[in-house]
Amino acid sequence: MSALDRKLVRELRAARGVLAAIVGIMVVGICCFVAMASLYLNLRESRDGYYAQARMADFWIDLKKMPLAELDRIRDLPGVAQVETRIVFPVTADLDGVERPLSGEVVSLPDRRSPVLNDIVLRSGRYFSDERRAETIVSDAFARARKLRPGDRIRLILDNRLQELSIVGTAIGPEYVYLLPPGGLVPDPEHYGVFYLKRSFAEEAFDFEGGCNQIIGRLGPEHRDRPAELLDRIERRLEPFGVAAVTPRAQQPSHWFLTSELEGLKINVVVLPAIFLSVAALILNVLMMRVAEQQRTIVGTLKAIGYGNGPLLRHYLKFGAAIGLAGGVLGGLSGYALAGLMTRVYLHYFEFPRLVNQPYPAVIAAGVGISAACALLGTLRGTRMVLRLAPAEAMRPKPPPEGRPILLERWRWLWRRLDFRWHLVLRGMFRQRTRTLAGVFAAAVGAALILLMLSLRDSMDALVQFQFDKLLLSDFDVTLKDPHDLGAAAEAARLPGVDHAEPLFTVPCTFRHGPRSRKGAITGIVPGARLTIPRDAAGNRVPVPEVGVMLTARLAELLDAAPGDVLRVEPVTGDREPRSVPVARVADSYLGLAAYADFGYLNRLMGEEGSVTGLQLAADPSPESARAFYREIKRTPAVQTVNPIREQKAQLEAVLVEQTMIAIYVVIAFAGLMFFGSILNSSLIGLAERRREIATFRVLGYRPREVGAIFLRESLIVNLAGTLLGLPLGVWLTRLLSRLYDTDLYRIPFVIRPESLIVTVLLGVAFILLAHVPVRAAVRRLDWLDALNVRE
């Protein structure tokens, strides 16, 4: 080991307290990078491998009914690589001992196992047998939630007939990785499942012999990324068979959710690590400037005895590299462990054949390299300052700085009212501007992160409150299998526990405005509705127009439509003739894309009279009434699904709010480490620079607590200033986040409660006081007699 390397080891050991704080911040940054990147790769590789294994389709086409012989209409189109037909229907299920009606989707599979698109992966049991027809394979998540096993039986209402089927296996499918019930926002495996049936049994049960109502297919490589034109041609060819929907893979709900999660992880791979590493690099820069100034004469001596700038530069860069490597290695290991925890959380929401946390050497190596690079950048400035000096000049101690008055000293009326300890603190802050600004910056970033996470909680609370306490006030939403007349609302009002019933008329359609289009639906509500109340951004009720449609803000934005514009509405049911509909108003909503119209107007527009497709019910919330209500609903074959709105609210709170709280605690802990590391580093550097002053105070009789209070004053001023500056930065980040998460599924409202601002400041003060504990201990341990010795 060379003399310079031995010197390096001694210096690293001597500065271990300060370096631990910097390494801790780097560990957090690299931990975030490795965890997010590993989680992204875990999900992406699991998705891609699963899609390839199960031959995931590129498009889905829902039809009213098509004879299988007509499949040649699209099979031979250039660009269509493979097409298959299926029978798919929504279904109601019933289990012994389960009060609430269960819903799901029936999907046909070949009678005998053969390679198909969107193939299933069996998790338990077996495939269909040749002996019995009434068999089903159940989605694995539903089976786990309901504790179902092969050999159990389940009742399904198939084409208005109750049929009992034997469960022969459980499985997962690539199109149901993230399984959402219709109109749902989070997976609900306890009440919604997928039921795979033999093709021959499905044809018999739904009277579809030789027919299908869904086509799935794969496209050639040249059309896979741009399928719109080819899918339009396919839709035109299938028009005689009543095309209800054409869904490319990009818009398929499960794939869309999974892709959105991956895109969010990609953003997080960059943002959080960049924040922490920039703070660490800035703090390290301050430290290296101090080290370089302290070793000025040592550098001059080394130069005088023959060491050139190259060896000395490498020596100081090794100092930074050692810090960066330590932060990178520890951050890589902790990031891999954190990715494992997060991957296990994802298993609750995504159904993959295999989703495990894998070590990615390239990701860990990149994390170590990024950490080392940031550390090296942080060391360059301080090192260059000394290396530029000539040996003779460097061997002389640095001249003391000129004692010019700081700005506050010109305000004599204020300056005279401050005692000498305040004078010491304020002069030190203004004369060490780089260190002060670094502390302010670190505190501002930490406070901004805390406020961002607290405001995210506020926004989630506001979203749930707006949607379920102001907009949707029903207790149950009921979907009917077929349209009924207004008598359905009167019958629903007589159900057990129902206090009030309102009819709905929903028309699935495609909205077009100029070159823009969007699939959605218009919901017709009665005038003065009490259970669906459209509102504006301020929460005020917006009356439904007598003529035209009212769009939610997100749908209006996607269509570039404003009040007064005329939309082309193409229904996917009924006569499917396009209609021209004026936009009358724009309302607000945070969940989904909705359009509202007057119940009578929408019926007239569609050539109907009092047609009802769904019902909203206000009911007695007591468990006894709910049980009686569910018993009666089960005996009502016209009902397709029953959606308990209050349960949906609870599920949304459990997933969005509770999971958000976990993220809040983690980020606050990370921000606290940033506060702690920055304050501790600044205070220990100041302590080292003022050893003689502190020793003088001790000789004069000041106790360690009183001396430490001087450093506490400086920390409070610098970090409280940074915390206050971090509040507007946090507001800006919150507004940016609300824009980034403006999706078709939900929008995050921009909400920051006063309590969040107060809590941010209080947490900042708490972190300052916590970081002062080791500073007081360092003051107490100081050998003040040694500090007073004059060194030549």
Side-chain angles (χ1 to χ4, degrees), residues 16 19 35 103 151 215 260 272 279 352 397 404 412 513 544 548 577 596 604 619 621 648 700 717 719 755:
R16 59 184 177 273
L19 297 182
S103 58
I215 297 173
S260 298
L272 279 178
V279 172
F352 286 106
R404 294 178 180 176
R412 296 188 178 277
H513 182 235
V544 177
E577 285 295 322
Y596 301 103
R604 292 190 298 273
Q648 188 180 74
L700 293 174
I717 294 174
N719 291 283
E755 307 93 89

Short mmCIF file of all heavy atoms in Angstrom, two decimals, residues 16 19 35 103 151 215 260 272 279 352 397 404 412 513 544 548 577 596 604 619 621 648 700 717 719 755:
data_model
loop_
_atom_site.label_atom_id
_atom_site.label_comp_id
_atom_site.label_asym_id
_atom_site.label_seq_id
_atom_site.Cartn_x
_atom_site.Cartn_y
_atom_site.Cartn_z
N ARG A 16 -15.48 9.13 9.52
CA ARG A 16 -16.53 8.13 9.32
C ARG A 16 -17.91 8.64 9.72
O ARG A 16 -18.92 8.25 9.12
CB ARG A 16 -16.19 6.86 10.07
CG ARG A 16 -16.00 7.01 11.56
CD ARG A 16 -15.58 5.68 12.20
NE ARG A 16 -15.33 5.80 13.62
CZ ARG A 16 -14.17 6.17 14.15
NH1 ARG A 16 -13.15 6.45 13.36
NH2 ARG A 16 -14.03 6.26 15.47
N LEU A 19 -19.08 10.88 6.84
CA LEU A 19 -19.24 10.08 5.63
C LEU A 19 -20.45 9.15 5.74
O LEU A 19 -21.11 8.86 4.73
CB LEU A 19 -17.98 9.26 5.37
CG LEU A 19 -16.70 10.06 5.10
CD1 LEU A 19 -15.55 9.14 4.80
CD2 LEU A 19 -16.92 11.03 3.94
N ALA A 35 -34.43 -0.77 -6.80
CA ALA A 35 -35.74 -1.37 -6.50
C ALA A 35 -36.72 -1.13 -7.64
O ALA A 35 -37.39 -2.06 -8.10
CB ALA A 35 -36.28 -0.81 -5.19
N SER A 103 -70.77 -12.42 -9.80
CA SER A 103 -70.81 -12.21 -11.24
C SER A 103 -69.47 -12.58 -11.85
O SER A 103 -68.48 -12.80 -11.14
CB SER A 103 -71.16 -10.76 -11.58
OG SER A 103 -70.22 -9.88 -11.00
N GLY A 151 -63.48 -30.47 -7.88
CA GLY A 151 -64.45 -31.38 -7.25
C GLY A 151 -65.62 -30.65 -6.64
O GLY A 151 -66.70 -31.22 -6.45
N ILE A 215 -64.34 -12.65 -31.67
CA ILE A 215 -63.20 -13.07 -32.49
C ILE A 215 -61.94 -12.49 -31.86
O ILE A 215 -61.91 -11.29 -31.51
CB ILE A 215 -63.34 -12.59 -33.94
CG1 ILE A 215 -64.56 -13.23 -34.59
CG2 ILE A 215 -62.09 -12.91 -34.74
CD1 ILE A 215 -64.86 -12.68 -35.97
N SER A 260 -49.65 0.69 -17.83
CA SER A 260 -49.62 1.95 -17.08
C SER A 260 -48.74 1.83 -15.84
O SER A 260 -48.00 2.76 -15.50
CB SER A 260 -51.04 2.34 -16.67
OG SER A 260 -51.85 2.56 -17.79
N LEU A 272 -36.88 9.77 -8.28
CA LEU A 272 -36.45 9.70 -6.88
C LEU A 272 -34.94 9.54 -6.74
O LEU A 272 -34.31 10.26 -5.94
CB LEU A 272 -37.17 8.56 -6.17
CG LEU A 272 -38.59 8.87 -5.68
CD1 LEU A 272 -39.19 7.64 -5.03
CD2 LEU A 272 -38.61 10.03 -4.71
N VAL A 279 -28.59 15.65 -4.02
CA VAL A 279 -28.33 16.17 -2.66
C VAL A 279 -27.02 15.60 -2.13
O VAL A 279 -26.19 16.33 -1.56
CB VAL A 279 -29.51 15.82 -1.73
CG1 VAL A 279 -29.15 16.18 -0.29
CG2 VAL A 279 -30.76 16.57 -2.16
N PHE A 352 -49.83 -13.84 -12.48
CA PHE A 352 -48.82 -14.35 -13.41
C PHE A 352 -48.52 -15.81 -13.06
O PHE A 352 -48.62 -16.21 -11.89
CB PHE A 352 -47.51 -13.56 -13.29
CG PHE A 352 -47.56 -12.19 -13.90
CD1 PHE A 352 -47.62 -11.07 -13.10
CD2 PHE A 352 -47.52 -12.02 -15.27
CE1 PHE A 352 -47.65 -9.80 -13.65
CE2 PHE A 352 -47.54 -10.77 -15.84
CZ PHE A 352 -47.62 -9.66 -15.03
N PRO A 397 -0.25 28.35 5.12
CA PRO A 397 -1.66 28.24 5.51
C PRO A 397 -2.51 29.25 4.74
O PRO A 397 -2.04 30.32 4.36
CB PRO A 397 -1.65 28.54 7.01
CG PRO A 397 -0.25 28.29 7.44
CD PRO A 397 0.63 28.63 6.27
N ARG A 404 -15.34 41.15 6.69
CA ARG A 404 -16.27 42.18 6.26
C ARG A 404 -17.62 42.00 6.95
O ARG A 404 -18.04 40.89 7.23
CB ARG A 404 -16.48 42.10 4.75
CG ARG A 404 -15.23 42.44 3.94
CD ARG A 404 -15.52 42.30 2.45
NE ARG A 404 -14.34 42.61 1.65
CZ ARG A 404 -14.29 42.49 0.33
NH1 ARG A 404 -15.35 42.03 -0.33
NH2 ARG A 404 -13.19 42.80 -0.33
N ARG A 412 -28.28 48.14 12.13
CA ARG A 412 -27.72 48.23 13.48
C ARG A 412 -28.78 48.07 14.57
O ARG A 412 -28.52 47.49 15.62
CB ARG A 412 -26.98 49.56 13.66
CG ARG A 412 -25.76 49.69 12.74
CD ARG A 412 -24.93 50.92 13.07
NE ARG A 412 -23.75 50.99 12.21
CZ ARG A 412 -22.62 50.34 12.44
NH1 ARG A 412 -22.52 49.59 13.52
NH2 ARG A 412 -21.61 50.45 11.62
N HIS A 513 -65.40 13.44 -32.65
CA HIS A 513 -65.42 14.90 -32.82
C HIS A 513 -64.22 15.28 -33.67
O HIS A 513 -63.09 15.26 -33.18
CB HIS A 513 -65.38 15.61 -31.47
CG HIS A 513 -65.45 17.11 -31.59
ND1 HIS A 513 -64.50 17.96 -31.05
CD2 HIS A 513 -66.36 17.90 -32.20
CE1 HIS A 513 -64.82 19.21 -31.32
NE2 HIS A 513 -65.94 19.21 -32.01
N VAL A 544 -78.73 18.23 -15.45
CA VAL A 544 -78.62 17.52 -16.72
C VAL A 544 -79.42 18.28 -17.77
O VAL A 544 -80.58 18.64 -17.54
CB VAL A 544 -79.13 16.07 -16.58
CG1 VAL A 544 -79.07 15.36 -17.92
CG2 VAL A 544 -78.30 15.33 -15.55
N GLY A 548 -79.24 17.37 -25.64
CA GLY A 548 -77.80 17.25 -25.75
C GLY A 548 -77.21 16.42 -24.62
O GLY A 548 -77.92 15.86 -23.78
N GLU A 577 -77.27 3.31 -35.94
CA GLU A 577 -77.18 4.45 -36.86
C GLU A 577 -76.52 5.63 -36.13
O GLU A 577 -76.89 5.95 -35.01
CB GLU A 577 -78.57 4.85 -37.34
CG GLU A 577 -79.18 3.92 -38.36
CD GLU A 577 -78.38 3.92 -39.66
OE1 GLU A 577 -77.92 5.01 -40.06
OE2 GLU A 577 -78.22 2.84 -40.24
N TYR A 596 -73.53 12.19 -19.66
CA TYR A 596 -74.89 12.13 -19.13
C TYR A 596 -75.85 12.82 -20.07
O TYR A 596 -75.50 13.76 -20.79
CB TYR A 596 -74.96 12.79 -17.75
CG TYR A 596 -74.05 12.16 -16.72
CD1 TYR A 596 -72.85 12.78 -16.36
CD2 TYR A 596 -74.38 10.96 -16.10
CE1 TYR A 596 -72.01 12.21 -15.41
CE2 TYR A 596 -73.53 10.38 -15.16
CZ TYR A 596 -72.35 11.02 -14.82
OH TYR A 596 -71.52 10.45 -13.90
N ARG A 604 -85.64 9.06 -26.66
CA ARG A 604 -86.15 9.54 -27.95
C ARG A 604 -85.06 9.51 -29.01
O ARG A 604 -85.31 9.16 -30.17
CB ARG A 604 -86.71 10.96 -27.80
CG ARG A 604 -87.97 11.04 -26.94
CD ARG A 604 -88.61 12.41 -27.05
NE ARG A 604 -87.73 13.46 -26.55
CZ ARG A 604 -87.64 13.86 -25.30
NH1 ARG A 604 -88.38 13.25 -24.36
NH2 ARG A 604 -86.82 14.84 -24.93
N ALA A 619 -80.95 2.02 -0.26
CA ALA A 619 -81.49 0.93 0.54
C ALA A 619 -81.06 1.05 1.99
O ALA A 619 -80.12 1.78 2.33
CB ALA A 619 -81.04 -0.42 -0.03
N PRO A 621 -79.10 0.19 5.03
CA PRO A 621 -77.75 -0.40 5.10
C PRO A 621 -77.58 -1.53 6.10
O PRO A 621 -76.51 -2.11 6.19
CB PRO A 621 -76.89 0.81 5.51
CG PRO A 621 -77.81 1.68 6.30
CD PRO A 621 -79.18 1.51 5.68
N GLN A 648 -67.66 -0.94 -2.97
CA GLN A 648 -66.69 -0.47 -3.95
C GLN A 648 -65.86 0.68 -3.37
O GLN A 648 -64.65 0.76 -3.58
CB GLN A 648 -67.41 0.00 -5.21
CG GLN A 648 -66.46 0.32 -6.37
CD GLN A 648 -67.22 0.77 -7.60
OE1 GLN A 648 -67.72 1.89 -7.64
NE2 GLN A 648 -67.28 -0.08 -8.59
N LEU A 700 -14.12 28.92 29.27
CA LEU A 700 -14.83 30.02 29.92
C LEU A 700 -15.98 29.54 30.79
O LEU A 700 -16.63 30.36 31.46
CB LEU A 700 -15.37 31.00 28.88
CG LEU A 700 -14.30 31.79 28.10
CD1 LEU A 700 -14.95 32.63 27.00
CD2 LEU A 700 -13.51 32.70 29.05
N ILE A 717 -32.10 27.72 11.66
CA ILE A 717 -32.26 28.79 10.67
C ILE A 717 -32.14 28.23 9.26
O ILE A 717 -33.00 28.45 8.39
CB ILE A 717 -31.22 29.90 10.90
CG1 ILE A 717 -31.49 30.60 12.23
CG2 ILE A 717 -31.25 30.92 9.77
CD1 ILE A 717 -30.43 31.61 12.60
N ASN A 719 -32.25 25.06 8.07
CA ASN A 719 -33.17 24.03 7.65
C ASN A 719 -34.63 24.46 7.71
O ASN A 719 -35.45 23.98 6.92
CB ASN A 719 -32.94 22.77 8.50
CG ASN A 719 -31.60 22.13 8.19
OD1 ASN A 719 -31.45 21.46 7.18
ND2 ASN A 719 -30.61 22.37 9.05
N GLU A 755 -53.45 21.11 7.07
CA GLU A 755 -52.78 20.23 8.02
C GLU A 755 -51.52 19.61 7.43
O GLU A 755 -50.53 19.37 8.16
CB GLU A 755 -53.72 19.09 8.45
CG GLU A 755 -55.07 19.55 8.97
CD GLU A 755 -56.11 19.59 7.87
OE1 GLU A 755 -56.78 18.57 7.63
OE2 GLU A 755 -56.26 20.67 7.26
#
